[in-house]
Amino acid sequence: MDYTKHTLNELLVGLFNYILYIEEKNLKNNGVKLSMNEVHLLESIQKASDNTMSHIAKRSMITQGTLTTNIKGLVKKGYVERYKDENDGRIVRLRTTELAKDVLYVHDQFHALMIDKVVADLKLEENKILLGSLEKIMDYFSKEYDTHFE
């Protein structure tokens, strides 16, 4: 692997791992007893334009079987409710509960603080080339893996 490919791989993997580690630590420090996976599912449900099980699974890049297993746990813990579509009873929809709002607030605050610090420390608003490159990388992964966050 040439230098550029090796370096890009190390940067992407390292960045991903650092963010997850810091994010998980922040959640635990704020009393959140859910896994990162569970918190990200809550976020997917909250932000989705379509709250059907199939759409949430696609948005979360997991199978419907995996989603079903995870949702059972979140329902049992009181963070998610399942309900039937009022027009088509075969369709199962999801919504977060009041209990989930506190977790999502902690999660959103972490991301806001992280971005504020990165922008301030690295002066990213002045670096249009870096921002453009990051947008291209995100577009590539979104198209390559057919994931569109709606």
Side-chain angles (χ1 to χ4, degrees):
M1 193 180 314
D2 69 20
Y3 175 78
T4 300
K5 290 179 183 178
H6 175 76
T7 302
L8 184 57
N9 181 65
E10 292 296 313
L11 290 170
L12 290 175
V13 171
L15 184 61
F16 176 78
N17 288 332
Y18 273 121
I19 291 170
L20 282 180
Y21 174 78
I22 295 166
E23 187 174 20
E24 189 167 24
K25 187 176 177 183
N26 179 71
L27 289 170
K28 286 182 181 175
N29 288 344
N30 281 286
V32 175
K33 295 181 176 12
L34 298 176
S35 70
M36 282 306 310
N37 183 46
E38 290 172 317
V39 173
H40 286 150
L41 281 176
L42 293 177
E43 181 183 39
S44 280
I45 294 165
Q46 181 193 46
K47 291 183 176 180
S49 60
D50 175 354
N51 65 346
T52 60
M53 290 281 287
S54 58
H55 183 79
I56 299 299
K58 183 177 180 181
R59 186 177 200 286
S60 301
M61 295 180 275
I62 58 176
T63 66
Q64 283 197 348
T66 299
L67 179 64
T68 298
T69 300
N70 286 303
I71 292 301
K72 282 180 186 177
L74 288 169
V75 167
K76 189 175 181 178
K77 293 174 185 178
Y79 291 95
V80 173
E81 294 175 344
R82 287 184 192 175
Y83 64 99
K84 299 281 185 181
D85 184 271
E86 60 187 51
N87 297 319
D88 185 345
R90 297 170 297 172
I91 298 172
V92 176
R93 296 190 176 276
L94 303 171
R95 66 177 154 236
T96 56
T97 65
E98 285 297 315
L99 193 56
K101 288 185 177 160
D102 293 335
V103 171
L104 291 169
Y105 178 79
V106 169
H107 182 254
D108 290 345
Q109 289 302 109
F110 167 78
H111 279 272
L113 180 61
M114 175 182 67
I115 295 304
D116 286 347
K117 288 181 65 91
V118 167
V119 168
D121 293 350
L122 300 178
K123 299 180 179 23
L124 287 182
E125 68 277 353
E126 300 167 10
N127 197 331
K128 292 183 183 348
I129 294 172
L130 177 59
L131 290 177
S133 296
L134 291 172
E135 285 174 350
K136 286 179 184 177
I137 290 170
M138 185 63 183
D139 286 345
Y140 164 78
F141 282 112
S142 177
K143 288 174 186 162
E144 182 71 18
Y145 297 101
D146 193 27
T147 57
H148 303 283
F149 297 105
E150 304 169 3

